[in-house]
Amino acid sequence: MEKRRLGQSNLIVSEIGLGCMSIGTNITAAKKVIEEAIDLGVNYLDTADLYDQGANEEIIGELIKDNRKDLILATKAGNRFEKGKDRWMWDPSKSHIKRAIKDSLQRLKTDYIDLYQLHGGTIDDPIDETIEAFEELKQEGLIREYGLSSIRPNVIKEYVKRSSIVSIMMQYSLLDRRPEEWFPLLEQHDVSVVVRGAVAKGILTPRPFSTLPSKIQANGYLSYTANELKLLREQLADYPTYSINELALNYVLSSNVIASVVAGASRKEQVKENVQAIRADLLPAHILDELKQITKKDLYEQHR
């Protein structure tokens, strides 16, 4: 497994990370997924305090306690919740973030977080106060670095300009290439992208279209109709030496600004498929160009 640096930090992460939201609450099943990931060279695990109201962090903490020092552990904060209640409230305040880190550290059975991320953000937030909270946590040694999980351009620009974030987690795939407009800005400021949604809810995998979520089968995905998705998948399946998910994952990794693709998995077989899809050699330039043409959509303006 090849590794890349997160921004200007000392955090070196595997090109495929494990998105832990999908591991479930059965610790026996989760153990198989996490052990498979680690055995295959994945060193980057991503979770959030909101996932299963902290239960996800508790499971991860228990399962990685013996090899914690070998892993890059990322979690998120900003959504205030009460265990047992369905609703949560957006709270990027300094006081909440400083309370949230203590709870996450306890659940994760560790005394530091490698990458602590703001789990969202709006332009109306007290951004300077939020940044101050992360900077103080870094000075206190409770976190090594911090980042942002957002797809809002105005929020991203403010944090890039005003903070020392090392990464931004965002949805990015062949079917959602909006982030490409922001890559020059991020590269200029040495901020890395951590990708989520690289296979677009399973659309960019070999699984039959009839097994995709019913909403996608009926309404399509983003600005793609269901029929357009079927045609696009047929075109991607025509590549003789690449599977659809190989094209999808290697495309997003073709940019230097990408540090890791966080892929969810509920079974160890899915972890293996994701890791094996990563090619040591880059996709040739002509294939990258063809993929851009096949999936060309003016998504950025439409969904801004």
Side-chain angles (χ1 to χ4, degrees):
M1 173 74 68
E2 295 293 325
K3 294 182 172 63
R4 301 186 182 190
R5 185 182 302 275
L6 270 178
Q8 290 184 311
S9 75
N10 292 322
L11 303 181
I12 310 300
V13 298
S14 50
E15 289 184 332
I16 288 289
L18 179 63
C20 295
M21 184 174 67
S22 303
I23 63 173
T25 55
N26 182 309
I27 194 166
T28 301
K31 182 178 181 181
K32 294 178 181 178
V33 173
I34 289 178
E35 286 183 346
E36 181 76 2
I38 293 173
D39 287 346
L40 293 173
V42 173
N43 78 335
Y44 180 39
L45 274 59
D46 182 273
T47 182
D49 60 0
L50 190 62
Y51 298 164
D52 296 314
Q53 296 188 324
N56 195 266
E57 287 184 328
E58 290 174 348
I59 289 173
I60 294 167
E62 179 64 29
L63 294 177
I64 69 169
K65 60 185 179 182
D66 293 334
N67 48 3
R68 167 69 183 95
K69 61 181 176 56
D70 300 321
L71 301 173
I72 302 297
L73 182 58
T75 192
K76 311 179 192 77
N79 294 292
R80 179 157 52 89
F81 62 90
E82 291 184 46
K83 203 154 189 176
K85 294 186 178 181
D86 291 337
R87 296 186 177 183
W88 62 88
M89 180 182 296
W90 176 242
D91 188 352
S93 67
K94 181 177 178 179
S95 59
H96 171 68
I97 290 170
K98 289 206 146 187
R99 284 195 303 270
I101 185 77
K102 293 177 181 178
D103 293 337
S104 286
L105 289 171
Q106 183 179 22
R107 289 189 290 257
L108 289 164
K109 293 181 172 59
T110 185
D111 55 6
Y112 69 98
I113 303 296
D114 295 289
L115 179 67
Y116 203 37
Q117 301 160 99
L118 183 66
H119 201 175
T122 75
I123 200 64
D124 297 320
D125 291 345
I127 293 176
D128 288 330
E129 177 185 331
T130 303
I131 292 170
E132 187 175 273
F134 283 104
E135 289 289 349
E136 288 182 7
L137 292 176
K138 189 174 177 180
Q139 292 167 11
E140 293 164 13
L142 297 179
I143 66 175
R144 294 176 66 188
E145 301 289 352
Y146 65 98
L148 176 68
S149 177
S150 177
I151 60 169
R152 294 188 172 104
N154 53 359
V155 174
I156 290 171
K157 289 174 183 176
E158 289 302 310
Y159 275 89
V160 168
K161 180 173 65 176
R162 294 156 67 174
S163 77
S164 58
I165 58 171
V166 299
S167 65
I168 298 176
M169 173 177 270
M170 61 177 72
Q171 179 174 300
Y172 176 47
S173 73
L174 270 170
L175 301 184
D176 187 357
R177 290 171 37 215
R178 289 172 289 177
E180 291 176 1
E181 182 165 326
W182 316 328
F183 287 179
L185 173 69
L186 300 182
E187 286 188 287
Q188 179 185 346
H189 290 270
D190 291 312
V191 176
S192 292
V193 172
V194 175
V195 175
R196 63 177 177 84
V199 295
K201 299 185 182 298
I203 298 169
L204 298 174
T205 68
R207 61 186 289 189
F209 192 84
S210 60
T211 66
L212 294 175
S214 56
K215 286 185 178 180
I216 292 175
Q217 294 184 53
N219 304 320
Y221 179 74
L222 296 178
S223 66
Y224 294 90
T225 66
N227 285 335
E228 286 174 335
L229 291 176
K230 291 176 183 177
L231 177 60
L232 184 148
R233 281 162 52 96
E234 289 175 5
Q235 291 177 291
L236 294 177
D238 281 343
Y239 281 86
T241 57
Y242 298 94
S243 66
I244 293 179
N245 56 321
E246 284 177 336
L247 291 170
L249 293 175
N250 288 280
Y251 175 83
V252 296
L253 282 169
S254 66
S255 172
N256 291 330
V257 76
I258 307 300
S260 184
V261 177
V262 172
S266 57
R267 297 177 292 105
K268 69 177 187 178
E269 291 80 10
Q270 292 172 320
V271 177
K272 190 172 183 179
E273 289 171 5
N274 291 330
V275 171
Q276 290 182 338
I278 302 303
R279 296 288 191 99
D281 53 327
L282 297 176
L283 287 175
H286 73 277
I287 290 183
L288 292 174
D289 290 340
E290 289 170 5
L291 293 175
K292 290 177 181 178
Q293 289 301 313
I294 289 172
T295 59
K296 192 172 183 181
K297 282 281 185 178
D298 191 10
L299 292 178
Y300 183 82
E301 290 297 331
Q302 181 169 343
H303 296 280
R304 190 193 296 269

